[in-house]
Amino acid sequence: MRILLVEDEPRVANFIARGLREKSYAVDVAGDGEVALYQCHINHYDLIILDVMLPRKDGFAVCRELREDGRQTPILMLTARDAVDDRVRGLDSGADDYLIKPFDFKELLARVRALLRRRQDVRPAVLQVADLTLNTVDHTATRAGRKIDLTAKEYALLEYFVSHAGKLLGREEIAEHVWDENFDPLSNVIDVYVRRLRKKIDDGFTPELIHTRRGQGYLLTAATQASEEEDGDNV
């Protein structure tokens, strides 16, 4: 999942972004309202975490403009102001949820998960393809009952594959949802992570689940079919 964090205090932004990335989310950071609107117009986000007190354009205005533009991305507003009228104003601007600073990071994560589940029409907590099982709550994976140790980024990539099982995914689409704005489109980092996943997910198991389509992308499926793979996973 790719999240836009709009926060003008660098210390707070770094703390939240680091914590979210450790939980497998790709995070872009914007320091003011104008930059946030620009980012939303050039990128697709699954969730926006939006501070109220921002330079150039405050969070209420950003939220209102996004909704007027027809964007339905879930928005979680953050603010140090706990007056009821402020909370009402945020919700009336189009926010889906409201969290008052200071907050416990565990609560922020819980609200993020809730909003993402709502966005995906209550996606089940457990995803499964063949004998591969993912728990989207605690970010664990097993295959044929055997636990698979994954890094945060490996899990994020695998969850994206499993969530789109049977669909051919191009490198650009994968990068857009699993990596953040710092991703280098000329690098082979996606190919490297796919190779790592293959070793963990497919080596020693039948059937192989991750397939490469030369010049097109990657496909996760249990169906028996030619994968058109080539050495190095160059797509």
Side-chain angles (χ1 to χ4, degrees):
M1 297 295 167
R2 189 172 181 181
I3 295 174
L4 176 63
L5 170 63
V6 191
E7 170 61 64
D8 66 317
E9 295 184 35
R11 182 182 60 82
V12 176
N14 290 337
F15 169 75
I16 296 175
R18 184 174 65 251
L20 290 170
R21 287 166 181 153
E22 289 175 355
K23 295 299 182 180
S24 306
Y25 299 108
V27 183
D28 294 345
V29 179
D32 66 62
E34 292 288 356
V35 172
L37 289 170
Y38 174 74
Q39 291 285 73
C40 288
H41 279 89
I42 65 172
N43 298 310
H44 169 81
Y45 293 105
D46 300 288
L47 176 73
I48 299 170
I49 299 176
L50 179 63
D51 190 37
V52 168
M53 302 299 293
L54 295 169
R56 302 181 69 185
K57 187 164 292 188
D58 68 26
F60 298 130
V62 171
C63 186
R64 188 166 53 251
E65 287 191 31
L66 289 173
R67 295 308 188 221
E68 290 174 352
D69 195 40
R71 298 178 186 274
Q72 299 302 311
T73 307
I75 296 176
L76 170 60
M77 296 196 85
L78 305 179
T79 184
R81 304 190 298 193
D82 60 357
V84 173
D85 287 346
D86 288 328
R87 296 199 298 272
V88 170
R89 183 181 176 190
L91 295 171
D92 284 345
S93 297
D96 297 274
D97 200 358
Y98 209 96
L99 187 58
I100 298 170
K101 297 177 179 178
F103 52 82
D104 190 300
F105 191 71
K106 292 180 181 178
E107 182 178 3
L108 174 67
L109 286 176
R111 290 173 183 259
V112 166
R113 289 194 298 267
L115 288 174
L116 290 174
R117 284 197 302 270
R118 190 186 309 170
R119 170 73 185 277
Q120 297 167 30
D121 297 325
V122 192
R123 182 182 62 171
V126 176
L127 303 175
Q128 187 163 359
V129 177
D131 56 356
L132 172 65
T133 301
L134 264 65
N135 187 312
T136 63
V137 176
D138 59 17
H139 290 189
T140 58
T142 62
R143 181 150 193 201
R146 185 190 308 173
K147 183 179 179 181
I148 301 169
D149 292 323
L150 300 169
T151 66
K153 187 59 69 177
E154 288 170 350
Y155 173 84
L157 179 58
L158 182 59
E159 183 180 297
Y160 190 66
F161 278 153
V162 173
S163 297
H164 297 81
K167 178 183 177 183
L168 183 63
L169 301 172
R171 295 177 79 257
E172 182 177 348
E173 185 176 0
I174 294 169
E176 181 177 323
H177 290 273
V178 183
W179 272 266
D180 57 28
E181 61 188 346
N182 296 314
F183 175 77
D184 180 0
L186 299 179
S187 75
N188 68 338
V189 66
I190 292 178
D191 309 320
V192 170
Y193 272 92
V194 170
R195 285 200 296 271
R196 290 180 184 176
L197 279 183
R198 274 208 182 97
K199 290 180 180 179
K200 295 183 177 184
I201 301 300
D202 282 340
D203 283 4
F205 296 100
T206 302
E208 293 184 352
L209 297 179
I210 301 175
H211 306 273
T212 300
R213 293 289 183 84
R214 279 196 299 268
Q216 301 178 64
Y218 296 104
L219 178 72
L220 186 143
T221 180
T224 302
Q225 59 186 39
S227 60
E228 300 183 24
E229 295 177 11
E230 63 179 1
D231 292 339
D233 295 332
N234 297 314
V235 178

